[in-house]
Structure formats: structure tokens, C-alpha cells
Amino acid sequence: MTAQVDKPIIEMTHVTFSYGTPEEGDAGNNAGTALRDVSLSIGAGEFVGVIGPSGAGKSTLASVMSGAIPHHYHGTLYGATVVDGHDTCDVTLTDISQVVGSVLQDIDTQMVASVVEDEMLFGLENFGVPHDQIEARIARTLETVGISHLRGREVATLSGGEKQKVAIAAILAMRPRVLVLDEPTAALDPASSTLVFDTLRTVRDEGVTVVVVEQKVALLSEYCDRILVMGAGSLVLDGTPREVFSHGDELRRIGVDSPRVARVYNSLARGGLVSGAPCLTVPEATEVISGLVQPAPKTSCHVIGAEEEAREAGFRAGSKHVAAPRPHAQGAQPVVSLEDVSFAYPGSAASVDHLDMRVYPGEVVGIVGQNGAGKTTLTKLLNGLLRPASGTVRMAGLDTREVPTSAIAAHCATLFQNPDYQLCKDTVLEEVAFGLTLRGMDEGEARARAGAVIGHFGLPADEAPFSLSRGQRQMVALASVVVTEPEVVLLDEPTSGLDYRECMTVMDTVSKMAERGCVVIMVCHDMEVVSDFAERIVVMAGGRILDRGGTLEMFSNARLMRKASVRAPQIIELSEVLARELSPEFAGISQVSGIVDLTEEMVRRG
């Protein structure tokens, strides 16, 4: 399945690439080959998504398109890449940059200035944009990306998501003809992710070709004209979103997820109830299921009470699809507590106010909210990196204002948003064992325990952490947390940059930690992950906790979700719509299997 393009602006012909020198790897036959005989064309004005598991070659593909290969990354290259009529080997990177703007996966390496406005100015001045045009370009681009209020902020004070938006704005201001982005929404909340894709759609409508490497398949299915699927360095699938996501089983085998509503459709298709290309949105799924199931008869007598009763029945019947409260949390004392906690960064408007929260043994609690809501600040208050200006934070019985950070670290481990901040050793084995040796464990025993954890995650023990992909580095950082068996683990975007298979490995590990009594608090922008694994969520906005409660209950509160700029997972949205429009039996379902099972049952009933 290969798309035909009439007027390509990017054309790759039999491209094979291996990093390093020829002595370090044969480009045609080596496990380290990043791209293998890739041929494709990108048409002018297309919006193309690229998906695939970690290590599949997605970032390398982006580097080839942007000219970073062969001009920045060195290795062995075969084949040809033509951008706007010019072979990238025959022109300079500066020439290519006049056509292709790129946003890197690691935003911190792309930032060159200390203030947002200066970051915007840097590219414009270096590209020789007339000074009388610069102000208008900066103002318009900042407004387009929705970050005008950040113009005077220091880059160091921004959240990961805010930095991502600044990087995109700085590239857009230079008005490239092609925009290549590597995981631009990895650190963004759902509302901000949608805003970024709205922005990309706007610039595409203005004639810019957009190529985006992304893990959020639901976003790609909604916005892209076409999707490329990479696997083991090769182009596996190439087609429209409906064509690609009709191959759900094949995608799952190579480690790629599908939109949840597409999974519903594909499951119904396997049962013989539907046929053809899958649906990609909640309204489409609603229409499909409504065509299979007759609406429940309406009664004029006590409808509200009947719906409430059915909703409760749905919660009970669907309980196998919802993370249940863990029994060892009941009747226990909280391991983590915040009591009327406030904090403000010096010289910044960013702050958190009057935070109250308690977490019990064995709970998995999700912290959700838009970028800048205060989620990361909350985790830093918990692990002692920040001390409250007022109120009390207790961690495993310790008041964080009265003990050193090292004492807190003995009970609480943190996985940071950027795994590179906590990697420092030469091999994966040494990295994972490091925390144990710091605690005084014999080196042999530490290495044995580290080896077992590394094996569970499927990581290469003898490789250097920084030679691995972003997703694999995230797994190494998590492994170094898991191996210490902490009482509390704080996860700041634990699934960022991970493919589907890695994500499931990480979250299954997190669930097992909770089953052993560990408190798990995770800041996460992937609402599907939160829905699948957290039994409670805390909803934040503007530095405050808006509400807290059961995951399904919170996600079903549409007003709360809007206030927090959070979009509920597709299946919860679908169950709400179906419960309202078709049958209250659909209420309270949060998993694909729940929707499919109930639909099949209702079809059998006739």
C-alpha cells in the first residue's frame, strides 16, 4: 500500500542509512541499520503522519527529510533524497533550511536563547528577515500557537509543554515550505495537543507541507491526509488513516496502537457485524453502533431515575473495565498528604495554591490538567525539591520542611519528564544498579537485581543509555526507579515518547508495584493511559485542585473537563453519547472490550 504523489516536494529513493562509520556497521546488512531501502514521496501541501515503535527509524526518517542527514549526523548513506528539486547531498544544510523547518524531539537542544522573545528573534535575524517585518511575524506566530502571554518569560521557567510551543512558534515564524516535527505533542496536555494540530492544519491550508512523527494516533487519524508506518527501519504501510488503521492486528504486532474507536470497529468486524474501513471519531462510532442496535424505548415515568439506575448498573457491570480501589488502601493511613499547601516561584506568576490531597498504600493516582496547571510543581513539593511556602507536605510520615531531601528520597523515587536528567552511567546495567549501590547494597547483588529488572523491560544491559532511542532512555530511567522498590513513586509523563508495546510494559510494571503496596502518583497527558490504570484522578487548573475522585466519575464530568482543558478518553466519550442517545446500559464503560461486548449482546437480543 503506497500512496501516489503528483508533485512531490520531498522524494526519497531506496534510502538506506546506518549511523557511525562503515567499519562500525554495514549499511546493507546490520542490526544497527536505521533505515532500510525506503522509497516514498511527499506532495506539496500534504499533511503526513509517521508512526511506528521505538527504534523503527521515525526520527532518522525525519532527519533525512530535514537534511540533518547527511549534514549533521554522520554515517553510511545509500540512495537519494530530493527536497524541492535538490539532492540533499549536493546542497548545504543552510540551503535546505530555507525550505524545511524542523522541530526536534529534544526541545532543550533546540533552544538557543534565555527569553522567549529572543528565541523567536534568533532565526528571523539569522535568515535576514527585514526588521520592519519581524515584530508582526513574532506577534502573529505567538498568537497562532496560543502563547502570546509567554513572550517575556525566561525559557528556563517554562514547562516542557510550553517549551514545545515556543520551539514550534520559532520555526513557523520563518515561514518554511515544509515543516518536519518529531513528536511535537509528547509533553503537551490534550487541549494543547489539539491546538498544535489545529495550528499545523492552518499552516498546511496556507500551503506548507507538514510531516509529523507522533505517537498520538487519534490525533493523526483526525488531522492527517496520509500516514506512514515504520517498522525495523522499513516503510511497512502507507495510506490514508482509514486504510492504515484497518490493519489493526498488523499494527499491534509491530507495536503500534490504533484509535480506540477504530479498535471498536475492527473488533465488531471480526465478529461479522460490520465490514469496510474503520471509523475514526466518536460521532462515526456512534453512527455505526446505532445502526446495529435499536434505541431503548423512552418512558415518560421517572426517566431520570431510570437512567441513574441504569448508570449504576453500568458501573457495576463494567467494573472489570475500570481500575478498582485496591483493598490494602482501605482503612490505612495516608502515605502522602498535602494540607493547604501553597508555593510560588520567585519572580514568576506561576504558583500553586491551597493544595489538599491524600494518597493511600497501593493506590495509582493520576494528576491531570493543562500545561502550566501546577502538576510538575506538585510532584516537586512531594519529593522535597521544593518546600511549601505555607501548609504541610508529608511523605511517609516525614514533614518535607523538616528533613533533608536525601531523607525523603529514601522513601520516594521520581521519574522526571526528561529521562536524560537522571542518566549518568556508561551502561544500562550500571545505570539501573546505581541507585542500589548508593544505598549501600553490595555491588554484586545490585547488579543481579538490576539485571532482572533490565530483562523485564527488554533493555540492552551493555549499551550506553545515550545511544538508545528517547523511548528506551525513558525505560532505563524507570527501571532505575523500579529496582529500588520505593514506598512512593512519582512519575512525570511516564509514557512520553514510548511506543504502544513499551507503554504497556511500563504501566503493567507500575500496576504490579501498586499491588505490592507502593503509592504511585503519575502526572500524565495520555488520558487513555490514565483511564486504563488510575483508579483515582486529581484534576488541576491554574495552580489549584479543581476536583478529585474516581477516574470514570471525573472523566464523565464534561464541565470539569472543559474547565481543566482536558478531553476525556474516546471510549468514555463514546459510552456517554451511546448512553444518552441509544441505551443507558452503555453508561460507565471505559474500555474497548466493554463497548464491543455490550454491542454484540444487544445485537443478539435483537
Side-chain angles (χ1 to χ4, degrees), residues 153-426:
R153 284 276 297 275
E154 291 190 11
V155 172
T157 68
L158 302 179
S159 69
E162 288 169 334
K163 288 180 184 177
Q164 191 81 295
K165 294 180 191 178
V166 170
I168 293 170
I171 296 298
L172 286 178
M174 292 186 286
R175 298 181 180 173
R177 293 183 57 199
V178 180
L179 191 59
V180 177
L181 307 100
D182 195 354
E183 305 227 18
T185 71
L188 299 185
D189 61 70
S192 296
S193 298
T194 299
L195 174 61
V196 166
F197 271 76
D198 283 340
T199 302
L200 296 178
R201 176 185 279 168
T202 297
V203 299
R204 191 281 303 270
D205 292 343
E206 294 174 355
V208 177
T209 301
V210 177
V211 180
V212 55
V213 176
E214 184 58 78
Q215 298 283 4
K216 296 175 182 176
V217 290
L219 272 178
L220 293 180
S221 70
E222 182 178 350
Y223 286 85
C224 291
D225 308 312
R226 182 173 153 212
I227 292 179
L228 311 176
V229 182
M230 297 294 295
S234 299
L235 183 60
V236 178
L237 294 170
D238 177 0
T240 67
R242 290 189 199 281
E243 289 171 338
V244 167
F245 291 120
S246 66
H247 296 263
D249 291 339
E250 182 178 352
L251 293 174
R252 185 69 67 88
R253 280 195 297 273
I254 67 173
V256 176
D257 198 9
S258 300
R260 296 298 172 98
V261 292
R263 285 167 56 179
V264 168
Y265 187 97
N266 291 337
S267 294
L268 293 173
R270 283 194 293 272
L273 295 181
V274 294
S275 62
C279 52
L280 299 175
T281 66
V282 169
E284 289 177 357
T286 301
E287 183 177 351
V288 166
I289 294 173
S290 296
L292 297 172
V293 177
Q294 293 298 315
K298 303 288 184 181
T299 62
S300 58
C301 175
H302 197 51
V303 172
I304 294 178
E307 287 183 352
E308 288 175 347
E309 183 178 347
R311 179 180 295 277
E312 282 300 313
F315 273 110
R316 292 193 296 271
S319 61
K320 66 177 180 178
H321 305 304
V322 182
R326 302 179 193 278
H328 43 262
Q330 298 173 8
Q333 293 297 312
V335 179
V336 174
S337 67
L338 294 92
E339 299 174 8
D340 198 26
V341 171
S342 296
F343 173 86
Y345 291 96
S348 170
S351 64
V352 292
D353 298 301
H354 305 293
L355 303 182
D356 283 284
M357 185 176 80
R358 289 165 184 77
V359 188
Y360 296 84
E363 284 194 298
V364 179
V365 176
I367 312 293
V368 304
Q370 65 190 130
N371 293 110
K375 306 183 300 298
T376 297
T377 300
L378 185 153
T379 63
K380 290 179 178 179
L381 287 164
L382 292 176
N383 63 22
L385 292 179
L386 298 175
R387 306 300 167 114
S390 62
T392 303
V393 177
R394 294 190 182 278
M395 170 64 63
L398 302 175
D399 186 326
T400 61
R401 282 190 297 191
E402 297 178 353
V403 296
T405 304
S406 58
I408 300 170
H411 302 275
C412 173
T414 303
L415 176 67
F416 294 106
Q417 192 174 75
N418 186 340
D420 296 346
Y421 291 163
Q422 57 195 108
L423 301 178
C424 61
K425 291 298 183 178
D426 293 332

Side-chain angles (χ1 to χ4, degrees), residues 292-294 296-297 317 583-586 597-606:
L292 297 172
V293 177
Q294 293 298 315
S583 169
E585 290 181 80
F586 282 100
D597 292 348
L598 182 55
T599 300
E600 291 176 340
E601 179 187 337
M602 295 177 79
V603 169
R604 286 195 298 269
R605 284 189 224 152

Side-chain angles (χ1 to χ4, degrees), residues 554-572:
M554 295 294 99
F555 277 139
S556 298
N557 187 333
R559 182 180 298 176
L560 176 65
M561 294 296 99
R562 284 194 300 271
K563 193 172 181 180
S565 298
V566 171
R567 184 173 180 178
Q570 275 191 335
I571 296 302
I572 292 180

Side-chain angles (χ1 to χ4, degrees), residues 134-146:
I134 288 179
E135 169 58 32
R137 280 210 200 180
I138 290 177
R140 180 170 182 259
T141 307
L142 290 174
E143 183 178 356
T144 298
V145 183

